[in-house]
Amino acid sequence: MELDLVTLSRIQFALTVMFHYLFPPLTIGMGVVLVYLGGMYLKTRDPAYQQAQKFWTRIFGLNFAIGVASGIVMEFQFGTNWATYSRFVGDVFGSALAAEGIFAFFLESGFLSVLIFGWNKVGPKMHFFSTCMVALGSIFSSIWIVVANSWQQTPAGSHIVPMTREVLNEQGERLFDANGSLVTEPWIIDGVPVMRAEVTDFWAMVLNPSTFHRLSHVLLGCFIMGSFFILSICAWYILKGKHVEFAKRSFLGALSLATISSILIAFNGHQQAQNVYRYQPAKLATFEGHFDSEGPADLTLFGIPDAEAETVHMRVAIPGGLSFLTHDDLSFSEPVIGLDQIRPEHRPPLWLPFISWRVMIGVGTFFIFLTVYSYFLLWRGTLFQNRWVMRAFCVSVLFAVIANQIGWVAAEVGRQPWIVHPSIVTDENGQPVLDEEGFIQYEKVKTELPNGTPYERYAGLSTADGVSKAVEAEQVAASIVMFLMIYVLLGAVWVFILNKKIQHGPDPPEEGFGESSLVDIFKSQGEGPHHLADAGLPGGEDHE
């Protein structure tokens, strides 16, 4: 069996990024709940809120640490498996990721030490300020990552130009002309010029057409995942009759965030779908299994997509529903661009985005019903006595994880075959211009080879062209096995420590910050000595 370099490189990156993405949504969502608990303690001086904040801070610290460790690998893959892609996007990503490090990571990690270790070192107001800064830092971090990814979906504020390289003499020294300027020449590989995207307008790049829609969707998804993570643990405590008062207070704070986010993400998802249709109609057509661009477009609820037959078997659909959702068309009749107007080589894979899209929407709908119904039970005073609802919340975090992961799967696979999606050629009304064969046209860039021959290419980058030329498929396959072993071990450590923290539960509530003992994010025992070995750290002797 012949191994495919592009497929293996995509699988490796998917495995590493999906494992890593378990943790940023947890810390972002939990950070908001920590701000709520800290604010309530300042307002009421009820030590139960401080008790809850301490407990969730320990788990927050654990998730943060595992997230940092798992995220390092992705940075190296850009230079190993995706060197051509890194060259192409380097100028754009360099500015965005530098901003992420300066404005987000340092803010979050700097105040994290005060949040975790500052209980008996600083006053309540300073501690609350640190909590806010950590939550804000985690959100800032997501902003710049989403900006970079959104640029890949809808490039703006940049242009694509040929790259040059230095001319060296026989001794390997750089050459300079009579004016002292460095002599360069076009960089040609296999007769093709190497191209790269350069930023022409930083803020246009940051505020590209999909940034706001995608960022709000990602943050709401993070809020949902973090809040349902807390809800699941609290529901388990309530079912077991352990730490009930603590669990109820944390539950209500997380339930507020989960309810608001679940409702808002439905409206946001509608707006984002319209944005996707405007700039990436092939992606939305793939989500819906929509092939026919003529006449009213039906909204597919269920079915089995068939790319070869260009149809959806056993289809259950709402007549004209896609026309309404895409154009806000009350007549349910306006046409929607289908895959029949996308060149076959430019169509995304059908099955995975089609299924992922429906799973994500289904989970989101379930969350709306569950959270709203929970408020109804809370109004009746029977929420915490309803064991079926508590059981539903216990497993709800799994659905939140699935929805967050599969949402990215739909977005990234639906973008294929492009890793940087080229803009669509449009007319003065913003409508796509079709070529002579009736297909949507993508913008192109033109340049000349050193011999004067014209050269033309799409103003984007295909995934197949983004992989490294010096890496072999066998090497990628071997590294996949290695990473799987490392991540299985890292995941097992996370589950083990997390379980010990949950089984131990919160410490008894205490009055004031000065009376509390130093918080250790890996603390898994109660009062008295505990072992560094519990945290997987060197040294096994007991210490106070």
Side-chain angles (χ1 to χ4, degrees), residues 180-437:
S181 300
L182 187 65
V183 178
T184 61
E185 64 181 4
W187 191 353
I188 307 295
I189 297 180
D190 297 330
V192 176
V194 178
M195 311 288 282
R196 72 192 298 258
E198 288 186 352
V199 176
T200 57
D201 186 333
F202 176 78
W203 289 111
M205 180 272 293
V206 171
L207 305 176
N208 65 75
S210 64
T211 292
F212 285 117
H213 295 88
R214 304 183 76 252
L215 177 61
S216 54
H217 200 73
V218 167
L219 287 177
L220 288 170
C222 293
F223 295 158
I224 289 172
M225 185 167 164
S227 57
F228 273 99
F229 176 75
I230 292 176
L231 288 168
S232 66
I233 297 173
C234 292
W236 183 80
Y237 281 143
I238 292 170
L239 287 172
K240 295 295 183 181
K242 299 169 60 176
H243 316 294
V244 175
E245 289 304 315
F246 152 81
K248 288 181 178 179
R249 294 183 185 241
S250 298
F251 189 98
L252 292 178
L255 180 62
S256 299
L257 180 61
T259 306
I260 295 172
S261 300
S262 297
I263 295 173
L264 288 180
I265 204 170
F267 294 98
N268 172 263
H270 170 63
Q271 294 175 339
Q272 186 178 358
Q274 292 180 326
N275 182 266
V276 167
Y277 175 71
R278 180 177 179 181
Y279 295 99
Q280 298 174 298
K283 179 187 288 189
L284 185 67
T286 302
F287 287 164
E288 293 297 334
H290 178 57
F291 288 92
D292 188 3
S293 301
E294 299 294 330
D298 300 338
L299 180 66
T300 302
L301 300 179
F302 306 101
I304 302 175
D306 187 337
E308 293 185 2
E310 296 191 353
T311 188
V312 178
H313 302 292
M314 303 175 64
R315 186 185 188 201
V316 178
I318 300 175
L322 187 58
S323 296
F324 169 73
L325 291 177
T326 303
H327 303 293
D328 292 329
D329 175 29
L330 295 178
S331 69
F332 292 78
S333 60
E334 190 166 342
V336 175
I337 295 172
L339 289 172
D340 59 341
Q341 290 186 348
I342 308 297
R343 287 188 175 277
E345 64 269 23
H346 293 161
R347 296 178 186 178
L350 180 60
W351 177 263
L352 192 54
F354 182 89
I355 298 300
S356 301
W357 178 253
R358 276 148 189 78
V359 171
M360 180 179 63
I361 293 176
V363 171
T365 304
F366 167 72
F367 283 162
I368 292 176
F369 282 111
L370 179 61
T371 54
V372 172
Y373 181 61
S374 297
Y375 266 104
F376 171 73
L377 294 178
L378 182 65
W379 173 72
R380 295 185 59 185
T382 59
L383 173 60
F384 298 115
Q385 290 74 42
N386 192 311
R387 299 186 67 82
W388 282 108
V389 171
M390 291 297 106
R391 291 191 182 101
F393 275 110
C394 279
V395 299
S396 62
V397 64
L398 299 178
F399 295 109
V401 170
I402 291 172
N404 270 268
Q405 297 280 1
I406 214 163
W408 277 106
V409 169
E412 298 305 296
V413 177
R415 184 182 59 198
Q416 300 304 314
W418 308 103
I419 195 169
V420 177
H421 196 284
S423 299
I424 293 174
V425 178
T426 58
D427 58 22
E428 61 275 5
N429 297 319
Q431 298 300 313
V433 176
L434 304 183
D435 61 18
E436 296 178 353
E437 299 176 78

